[in-house]
Amino acid sequence: NAGVTQTPKFRVLKTGQSMTLLCAQDMNHEYMYWYRQDPGMGLRLIHYSVGEGTTAKGEVPDGYNVSRLKKQNFLLGLESAAPSQTSVYFCASLGMGSEKLFFGSGTQLSVL
Amino acid sequence: DAKTTQPPSMDCAEGRAANLPCNHSTISGNEYVYWYRQIHSQGPQYIIHGLKNNETNEMASLIITEDRKSSTLILPHATLRDTAVYYCIVRVAGGNAGNMLTFGGGTRLMVKP
């Protein structure tokens, strides 16, 4: 199993540009999450989803939108990128009844 | 969720046991203790979790004090590949899946030859 796959791995944007980060999991997990991690800091929850077609805000949702049209995919969108969104983005998934969160390898995003 | 306090960094000699402490003095009766680690900016990796009994798996052991106000993660024979940031987290199991793990600063463990 591939587990949790994030694409792209690296991206450089100019201020004001838009982009979408894709997270895909092949474990049939119900719950999916997007975190961001700034240098030297812990992870902060951006948005999450408890099932297909549902999304909710986390700790730092401003400037981001998400969609979960298919159970296996969780998309994170930046409509108008800002330098403050320069960070490493991690996607994670969790199976129902499990306490073990699985993470992707991350997307390093730089906004100039 | 209860907050945790961990030392910012620790060293350990290769082959020796690494004992990583975590203080969670405000933990509630229904909150579990979770440990994750993050190796060189990869995605965090689950290690172990427990409620009040000591737990052991193929990666580590978790020792929780009787009053549950602190715990210790033990890597019995540390290797260079165990060099990572270790996060101790407490939260209610299950419940609102969106109110997920809150990662603080963690402990940066450096395993030295």
Side-chain angles (χ1 to χ4, degrees):
Chain A
N1 282 346
V4 179
T5 304
Q6 293 183 230
T7 52
K9 296 189 182 303
F10 303 93
R11 185 71 185 269
V12 179
L13 292 178
K14 295 181 179 179
T15 297
Q17 288 185 317
S18 63
M19 77 162 296
T20 300
L21 281 66
L22 172 62
C23 176
Q25 53 92 5
D26 60 4
M27 297 171 283
N28 200 37
H29 284 175
E30 289 293 330
Y31 311 121
M32 297 187 74
Y33 310 85
W34 275 107
Y35 287 89
R36 62 175 286 176
Q37 185 175 34
D38 299 328
M41 306 289 287
L43 281 74
R44 293 183 293 171
L45 183 64
I46 305 171
H47 284 282
Y48 64 95
S49 169
V50 300
E52 182 178 322
T54 70
T55 63
K57 295 179 179 180
E59 180 186 0
V60 288
D62 294 343
Y64 305 95
N65 57 75
V66 288
S67 64
R68 183 102 181 267
L69 299 180
K70 294 183 178 180
K71 185 177 183 180
Q72 64 268 33
N73 296 336
F74 195 30
L75 279 63
L76 178 70
L78 286 73
E79 290 185 346
S80 179
S84 61
Q85 294 178 303
T86 293
S87 190
V88 180
Y89 292 83
F90 289 102
C91 176
S93 71
L94 177 71
M96 188 174 291
S98 172
E99 297 297 328
K100 185 176 178 180
L101 204 60
F102 288 83
F103 282 85
S105 58
T107 295
Q108 188 168 334
L109 175 66
S110 295
V111 183
L112 307 178
Chain B
D1 293 337
K3 291 186 177 180
T4 62
T5 303
Q6 299 177 253
S9 64
M10 293 181 62
D11 291 342
C12 178
E14 187 178 18
R16 304 297 294 268
N19 298 286
L20 291 90
C22 180
N23 184 292
H24 32 79
S25 58
T26 61
I27 192 170
S28 300
N30 61 348
E31 287 183 314
Y32 283 68
V33 180
Y34 297 81
W35 284 85
Y36 280 73
R37 72 180 182 183
Q38 188 173 23
I39 297 174
H40 190 50
S41 298
Q42 298 175 16
Q45 177 189 26
Y46 167 87
I47 302 174
I48 199 167
H49 77 282
L51 182 62
K52 56 183 179 181
N53 296 322
N54 297 338
E55 302 287 343
T56 296
N57 63 20
E58 66 279 4
M59 292 182 68
S61 295
L62 173 61
I63 308 298
I64 303 174
T65 58
E66 191 169 344
D67 64 7
R68 302 209 323 122
K69 294 185 176 181
S70 65
S71 60
T72 302
L73 179 74
I74 301 173
L75 307 178
H77 306 286
T79 70
L80 299 179
R81 288 179 293 180
D82 291 321
T83 292
V85 177
Y86 287 79
Y87 296 99
C88 170
I89 303 156
V90 295
R91 74 173 297 274
V92 177
N96 181 351
N99 186 18
M100 273 306 296
L101 306 171
T102 300
F103 291 80
T107 295
R108 185 172 298 275
L109 176 69
M110 178 72 72
V111 180
K112 298 183 175 181

